[in-house]
Amino acid sequence: MSQDLRNAPTTKPAIAEALRDIAAPAAGATAATPVAPAPSDMVTIKVDGREVQVKKGTNVLEACLQNGVDVSYFCYHPGLSSPAVCRQCLVEVVGQPKLVPSCYTPVADKMEVVTNSARVVQARQQMLEFTLVNHPVDCPICDKAGECTLQKLYDDWDHKGSRTEFDKVHKPKMADIGPHIVLDAERCILCSRCIRVCDEVAGVHQLGMAWRGDREQLTVAPGQRLDNPYSLNTVDVCPVGALTSKDFRFTLRAWELYTVPSVCPGCATGCNVEIHHGQGEVWRLVPRENLSVNKYWMCDDGRFTYKEIRSRRHSGARIGSGRGLPAQAVSVDKATSFAAERLSGTVQKGGTIGLVFNAQAENEALFGLSQVAAKLEAAGATVRRYVVGRKSHPERADKILRHADMNPNTRGAQVFAGAGAGDADALRSDLGKGALKALWMVGEDLPFDDAVLVELAPSLDALETFVVQAVHDSPLVRRAHVQLPACTWAEVDGSFTNAKSMVQRIRCSVSPAGDARSHMELVSMIAKKTRWVEGEAWQKSPRQAFLQLTAAVQPQDGSAGPFASADWGRELPPVQLRFANSRG
Amino acid sequence: MVFGMPTPDEIVSGAARELRSRPQFPPGFGEDADDDAPLPTEPMTINMGPSHPAMHGTVRIILTVDGETVKEADVQVGYLHRCFEKEAEYATYTQVFPYTDRLNYVSPLLNNVGFAMAAEKLLGISDKIPERAQYIRVLIGEISRITDHLTCVGASGMEVGAFTPFLWMIKCREWLWELLEELTGARLTHSYVRIGGVAADLTDNFAQRLRDVLAKCREAMVDVEKLIVKNRIFRDRMDGVAVISAEEAVAYGWTGPCLRSTGVPYDVRKDHPYLVYDRFDFDVPVGSTGDNYDRFAVRMEEMRQSMRILEQALDQIPAGPFKLDDPRISLPPKSQVYNTIEGMIGHFKQIVDGVKIPPGEAYSYTEGGNGELGFYLVSDGTGRPYRCHVRAPCFILMQSVPKLIIGAGVADIIPTFGMINMIGGECDR
Amino acid sequence: MLEFLADHSAIAALLKVFFLLMAFVMPLASLSTWAERRQSAMMQDRLGPNRAEITIPGLGWTLRLWGITHFVADALKMAFKEDLVPSKVDRVLYGIAPIMAIAPVLITFAIVPFGSDLCVGKMTEIITSLEGCRRTIPLQVVRLDIGMLFYFALASLAVYGTTLAGWSSYNKWSLLGGLRASSQMMSYEVTMGLSLMGAFLYYGTLEPNAMVLAQGDNPLNWGLFYQPLGFILFLTAAIAETKRAPFDLPEGEPELIGYFVEYSGMRFGIFFLAEFIETIFLAAIVTTVFLGGWHVPGLHEDGFSFLKLPHIAVVLLRSAVWGGKILFLCWLQLLIRWTLPRFRPDQLMRMGWKQLLPLSLLNIVLTAAWVLWRSAH
């Protein structure tokens, strides 16, 4: 029976499958097409008596994992080099007298690997016993509990009681080693993953090992801080609770969280993330594997984008006379009716209408807005289109993941606004000249400093109709005649197009704040009420909109366009992190 | 019919159909009219339940009555549906035990045992359960069976108006429940059984206390029999009412005391012995006519047989561990949990992830209070069932209720329904 | 005082009504609600209501009295409950029904003799017979020659209360209950009337007090021994008339919940009370016809043979014993109610028409033959 337990997969297949569904890159124009390896690149090895073919150069551990053979490991990470320090992945290679660390042993043709012999299992159990000798009894207060690799491996393989008769070695606890990170050196199992993350991903050597033997501990050099912009990846890779995020620690237990795959809205890179939410709120973002975008990582800034979901929300519709005067709170339905009335009034009088495509909004809403624009133009109205977004920060760009463009959907906005669209400066000058009678902003973000906004205020007040769909409240929003509450990226189903023109799904994780509706729904409501666009497929659901927009932007010549292989994916039920898998 | 199953008409044999077409009410009742020109009449549709004093749990019967004769009956179950099976998929195997308490809530421990045995079958450890644990399971199971039958039999008296025997029976049940409360910590929602054994050992002096209670229960049962078994009114209400033949009962999938009342001696404990039931000497009482009185009498006798089993089990029970000594299945002792990281992790993973059961599926069936109580489990290797189905005996019994009550009077519905012993928690799950 | 009453019989009648109803029947009916619960509790091995108590303000005394004051609590509860009238009921009949149920039983108490006649002016003397009395006050509200026929006539009216309650409630269950009630009460009325016919033949009168006088103070002369079959038949049929177990089909709580299912508060309370008053009335009639009425065994008009008593003491003792007999019969009904299961409607009808009715006819024939034989000799 115990044998059965060991061989049992510990992940619910359906859930792993579901998560993998999104993890696969939604291949864009630049996504590398996998080239089938030539037969000469493959070697044939035997794992537990089963012949498998793997690529030359992979190591034994990867070969085992690829073929569904469970080998335990701590220090190996697919995105990092293998130092073979934890010795947890020891396997037997026939012909070799000693057990070999599988993560460090490249495959060779006709190699025979045994991973489940009594010797190997005993080695694993002994390694776990060693690891646990000095591990503190911290599970009840440890943030990693529930998603801890050490717990998982002990549960999968060992289950032996303690034989230690001595006190445990004590090391620093609660060491403040960086702006976002707390180190508990006692819990550390010295796998060195975090050191390698800093070295190999962030490219800075900020962590290291000090002392020897059972007093060896992870540390930063005196006076140094773990403050690189990718520092929180160390928390993700830490197999135990040694490194914990100051932001997340002691908020929710891991098994109370639900996970939803999505995309980081922090910049144009579009790192794949998992939204971890519970009790109706988002608590953290963690990177999700996507080898064509972010591999296994994301930056610290991106992780904190979730805070915008909670703060300064504009959560109820308001209508008023603009100019920053107090506005009246009304229902979204009433506000959109009012907006429709004002907008169609202006258009009927022949006034120019400005449509603002915000790069923070999802593709579906922007597509809807482009449909409205097309209908208006076809009817003879004068329409001007602008692509705006948040201000760029060229200083933060690096060659790793961080992008200067702070908007997740600039490419999408550009695609849907069309070739003739102006940029933020064009909007500023048009407003200044009084060229616009009406302005309809999908999203409230403008890349301007406060001084520019002050300067723009009179021109905005001069507008006959000013409609804004806003996620957050701001003085700009309060100048609008109709102030509609919009959802954040975490509250809607939709897609973003990143800087590489890859279309990636975002998924609804928490319910919208207050009365907020998705940008797409608001655009659709106004379009219906103005009778500009009615009964179109995109107005029904985000999925319909997505299908319609992917078809609409296909180039006429049949070549692969920017949305060629975009895929909506499956509907996902909320997956409790406790059941998703042990992370680490 | 509401179950999407063949209507009784399609199932019952010709003889039974003839029986059904003949009103079971005495001929002439409610339909004679002296006048040559009969008064115009029309059947009345009347809604029995879901909130009705006799519809234990909540079940609804839409009756079409002609006077007091039932012409049509549409039995609708499901008002007590609590998504037991779906909830089980989101709970670890251990966390399912409290849900099973709420299936047949007059014999919760039988459900506990049934579920534990299904999980153990899937784990392949059925033969490794310590003997003492098996005896404890027999003990608590038979106590539960007695409480189940006490409730059913007592309530049947109450439902024909004899309130006093009901309370005598309930008094006995209370003694037994006090005993179980002492043992399990809860009067009704015991959650006492665990995968691999039971949660705790028998309390001191359990044997003596149980023997005392059984002696008192026997006396009370004699009293009840004196009061109602020879009572003309009671017998008239029960004898020959809602008769079903053995063939029909089998065709409907009946099990348990109701099936045995028709003369079919099928008892899982005898025919497919589990736990240590093959070591006891007990009889399987059967009825002869399959009417309400037989169902009553079979249950009365079964209680006596259960008492016999209990006494033999008390004599035979060996010393030893009360749960399997396997750290993957049983929780480590608290001293280890609080003082060693190994114990802590073991405890933690068992609580958070559950007892991991290798992929596979298993159907395990035991003799529940109302019949064959089956648990069908599918595991995908995690600590939670991938699918959990309950073969609830009274759900299957319920499908034949229309057949039993059509043609009878409104007053006969109550004892018939009572002797079917529909338990909402189990039927609707 | 007594002379005044003897002269003004109307005022005397009012006083007697007051005494009988307010001081005896109503309290007893209320107490029976408590007694029923305590009695059933005793039979069922539980405690029953024993907590209600009255604290006398200022003194700090607490009267518990085995929970007797529960009936006060019950009545207050009923009185203060919301008077909920379902929206589709026939409001007039729905309102009248409880009164229709309780009024006949209260009225019929008029014919029940609850003591021997008072001999005005000789209250403190020892008298051997009432013949010497110039003026008497009968302890009976009215002394009607038609006597028991009056009772039958009014008892027939009681069925309207239950039937109308069932019909007017706009509820199929209560309608079924009302129909059961009407069929049951009409069927058993026949037996009830016929079963007393033997007693009428035997006593040669319909007037209750005359029946009591005819039985005398020798218990062996009481109707019970001359009409044993009539006694059993009447008790059975009369219990069926009160609609209590084993004849509580109109209520049938597990199946129908009863003709009064839509009644709440004091309206329900009146039905409830009517049932208990019927119980007492049944006891009163059985006492009158079969148990010697107010007669005390061995007590003559001048007291016992071994102890002479003044007239007032004799009358009081007779009234007290009359009350005792009623209490005993009420208790007997409680025992029956908590022992037997309920009949089924068809069984009830079969018993009423096919067993009780022929037996009561047989009783009449036998009694008539015996009376004939006796008069011939």
Side-chain angles (χ1 to χ4, degrees), chain B residues 173-414:
Chain B
R173 190 180 76 169
E174 208 50 48
W175 291 329
L176 290 167
W177 272 355
E178 273 166 20
L179 198 59
L180 289 180
E181 186 179 10
E182 183 184 293
L183 178 62
T184 68
R187 195 169 150 275
L188 182 74
T189 51
H190 308 293
S191 305
Y192 173 66
V193 181
R194 296 286 183 277
I195 298 173
V198 292
D201 203 354
L202 293 181
T203 46
D204 299 339
N205 214 12
F206 180 86
Q208 191 48 48
R209 290 200 51 192
L210 180 56
R211 281 182 216 274
D212 294 349
V213 169
L214 291 185
K216 287 199 281 182
C217 286
R218 282 207 170 95
E219 273 175 39
M221 280 168 63
V222 171
D223 287 347
V224 169
E225 283 182 342
K226 277 185 196 158
L227 195 59
I228 58 177
V229 168
K230 288 178 187 160
N231 185 308
R232 193 70 243 161
I233 303 176
F234 182 76
R235 291 300 294 266
D236 281 350
R237 291 296 304 270
M238 303 294 269
D239 279 348
V241 175
V243 180
I244 190 166
S245 71
E247 294 77 32
E248 283 174 85
V250 170
Y252 270 117
W254 279 29
T255 48
C258 291
L259 176 66
R260 292 193 280 277
S261 76
T262 65
V264 182
Y266 173 71
D267 187 321
V268 183
R269 295 174 294 172
K270 255 308 193 236
D271 294 315
H272 309 281
Y274 55 97
L275 295 174
V276 285
Y277 275 112
D278 48 354
R279 302 185 196 173
F280 304 122
D281 173 29
F282 66 100
D283 302 323
V284 177
V286 292
S288 52
T289 51
D291 60 1
N292 277 347
Y293 183 73
D294 272 358
R295 293 193 264 281
F296 170 86
V298 163
R299 284 194 169 92
M300 286 297 276
E301 184 53 32
E302 259 183 38
M303 284 195 270
R304 296 217 160 82
Q305 297 301 329
S306 287
M307 291 177 182
R308 277 178 71 193
I309 296 177
L310 283 173
E311 275 156 4
Q312 293 172 53
L314 286 177
D315 293 338
Q316 293 176 15
I317 186 166
F322 56 87
K323 63 179 175 181
L324 192 62
D325 184 23
D326 184 330
R328 284 154 217 272
I329 290 163
S330 305
L331 287 174
K334 283 283 180 287
S335 61
Q336 281 183 34
V337 174
Y338 293 143
N339 296 310
T340 70
I341 184 67
E342 287 85 354
M344 166 62 74
I345 296 180
H347 180 96
F348 191 99
K349 288 305 254 190
Q350 247 193 58
I351 297 297
V352 174
D353 287 2
V355 177
K356 295 205 179 65
I357 293 190
E361 51 192 83
Y363 176 70
S364 161
Y365 51 104
T366 55
E367 182 71 21
N370 277 330
E372 183 179 316
L373 173 70
F375 284 92
Y376 176 70
L377 285 179
V378 182
S379 172
D380 58 356
T382 61
R384 298 165 294 135
Y386 181 79
R387 178 80 173 89
C388 171
H389 173 74
V390 187
R391 184 215 185 268
C394 64
F395 178 72
I396 287 147
L397 292 173
M398 277 301 284
Q399 63 176 321
S400 47
V401 166
K403 186 240 169 275
L404 294 179
I405 61 175
I406 286 175
V410 171
D412 283 331
I413 296 174
I414 311 303

Side-chain angles (χ1 to χ4, degrees), chain B residues 45 52 68 160 164 167 171, chain C residues 44-45 172 180 338 342:
Chain B
T45 301
H52 186 282
E68 289 222 14
V160 296
T164 305
L167 284 166
K171 183 181 64 181
Chain C
Q44 293 162 354
D45 236 356
K172 289 172 180 174
R180 279 186 181 185
W338 290 104
R342 181 184 311 110

Side-chain angles (χ1 to χ4, degrees), chain B residues 26 44-48 52-54 68 159-161 163-164 167-168 171 231 233 236-237 241 411-412 414, chain C residues 43-46 172-173 176 180 246 253-257 338-347 350:
Chain B
M44 178 164 75
T45 301
I46 190 164
N47 201 3
M48 198 168 202
H52 186 282
E68 289 222 14
E159 278 158 352
V160 296
F163 205 87
T164 305
L167 284 166
W168 292 353
K171 183 181 64 181
N231 185 308
I233 303 176
D236 281 350
R237 291 296 304 270
V241 175
D412 283 331
I414 311 303
Chain C
M43 293 170 73
Q44 293 162 354
D45 236 356
R46 55 192 175 89
K172 289 172 180 174
W173 292 111
L176 277 181
R180 279 186 181 185
E253 51 193 2
E255 56 221 47
L256 297 188
I257 315 105
W338 290 104
T339 305
L340 293 178
R342 181 184 311 110
F343 284 100
R344 207 168 60 190
D346 59 315
Q347 293 166 347
R350 201 166 41 201

Side-chain angles (χ1 to χ4, degrees), chain B residues 1-77:
Chain B
M1 278 297 294
V2 287
F3 308 129
M5 291 179 178
T7 59
D9 283 318
E10 291 160 36
I11 297 176
V12 297
S13 62
R17 195 173 298 131
E18 189 193 342
L19 186 74
R20 215 192 83 186
S21 62
R22 203 172 59 220
Q24 291 177 6
F25 242 38
F29 176 72
E31 46 188 65
D32 53 351
D34 293 346
D35 297 337
D36 292 338
L39 286 168
T41 62
E42 58 179 298
M44 178 164 75
T45 301
I46 190 164
N47 201 3
M48 198 168 202
S51 276
H52 186 282
M55 300 289 110
H56 8 137
T58 38
V59 68
R60 181 185 187 199
I61 306 180
I62 298 175
L63 296 170
T64 305
V65 292
D66 177 6
E68 289 222 14
T69 314
V70 179
K71 291 292 177 197
E72 280 172 44
D74 181 2
V75 180
Q76 301 183 351
V77 298

